[in-house]
Amino acid sequence: MKYGIAVFPSKKVQDVANSYRKRYDPHYALIPPHITMKEAFEADEEEIENKIIPELSEIAKNTQPFSYGVYKVSSFSPVTNTIYLKIEPSEEIFELNDKLHAGELPDEKDFSFVPHITIAQKLSDEEFSDVYGSLRMLKFDLNDKVDRFQLLYQLENGAWSVYETFRLGKG
């Protein structure tokens, strides 16, 4: 089965992201706005229960909640026509990402970690140019707190569902 790890932002940040995702993100119905902390990986039930969940519990217990800001959009162009809300880089978010790729956890990273919340993807070149051109002029002033992360699993229809939630700093 496919699993992944994500942080879901507050409703306020999700509402802002969804105002764009509704129109520009074909994955809108499959998963709420999120920060991907670990790309999809394969694991079986036994690995999840006996290795991965204990490891994630330990990581959460030893990680304190932290805040982040979103002030603008950016894109992964020219690699893909993906537009996202840019998470201001912080030591804490990179440390959490590193922890989630160590120990018992699979360590396949296809890309270097860029903290973000996708708001548009799979756009044609022309559509990308128009949408990004207007969105990058916008200024955002969103501040949010990370106090948990979720282990997700993928359903047969491609949607993602929460398997377990891990609260930061809780013994």
Side-chain angles (χ1 to χ4, degrees):
M1 192 177 253
K2 262 195 178 164
Y3 294 88
I5 298 172
V7 166
F8 291 110
S10 66
K11 181 180 181 327
K12 183 176 102 178
V13 174
Q14 287 197 34
D15 287 349
V16 171
N18 276 333
S19 69
Y20 302 105
R21 291 182 74 227
K22 265 187 279 210
R23 286 180 56 195
Y24 304 121
D25 185 357
H27 295 171
Y28 173 74
L30 301 177
I31 188 169
H34 62 282
I35 304 166
T36 301
M37 296 303 297
K38 185 171 191 60
E39 296 288 333
F41 62 93
E42 293 284 338
D44 61 36
E45 189 80 25
E46 188 182 321
E47 285 175 293
I48 289 295
E49 291 297 329
N50 299 328
K51 285 183 173 176
I52 293 176
I53 286 180
E55 184 96 14
L56 295 177
S57 296
E58 198 59 31
I59 290 168
K61 187 170 76 176
N62 295 308
T63 304
Q64 291 308 307
F66 59 92
S67 298
Y68 67 89
V70 174
Y71 308 110
K72 64 181 187 175
V73 299
S74 193
S75 87
F76 289 125
S77 175
V79 180
T80 69
N81 286 350
T82 299
I83 301 169
Y84 57 86
L85 294 175
K86 183 180 191 292
I87 306 291
E88 276 303 300
S90 70
E91 202 174 299
E92 295 92 345
I93 202 162
F94 282 99
E95 277 177 16
L96 179 56
N97 181 260
D98 287 344
K99 290 176 185 176
L100 294 172
H101 289 84
E104 295 289 338
L105 301 167
D107 185 26
E108 303 111 31
K109 276 191 186 183
D110 291 338
F111 307 98
S112 59
F113 178 57
V114 176
H116 70 281
I117 300 167
T118 299
I119 57 172
Q121 59 185 323
K122 298 185 173 24
L123 303 173
S124 69
D125 289 346
E126 193 175 286
E127 201 178 13
F128 170 80
S129 187
D130 288 351
V131 173
Y132 187 55
S134 61
L135 290 181
R136 71 176 184 198
M137 304 306 225
L138 301 177
K139 295 280 179 252
F140 295 85
D141 188 14
L142 300 168
N143 289 291
D144 209 3
K145 186 173 189 162
V146 175
D147 64 359
R148 69 195 69 187
F149 61 83
Q150 277 78 13
L151 174 64
L152 309 172
Y153 65 98
Q154 193 169 31
L155 304 171
E156 301 220 346
N157 67 359
W160 289 87
S161 191
V162 173
Y163 188 95
E164 191 159 329
T165 296
F166 299 88
R167 292 181 174 276
L168 302 184
K170 302 276 190 249

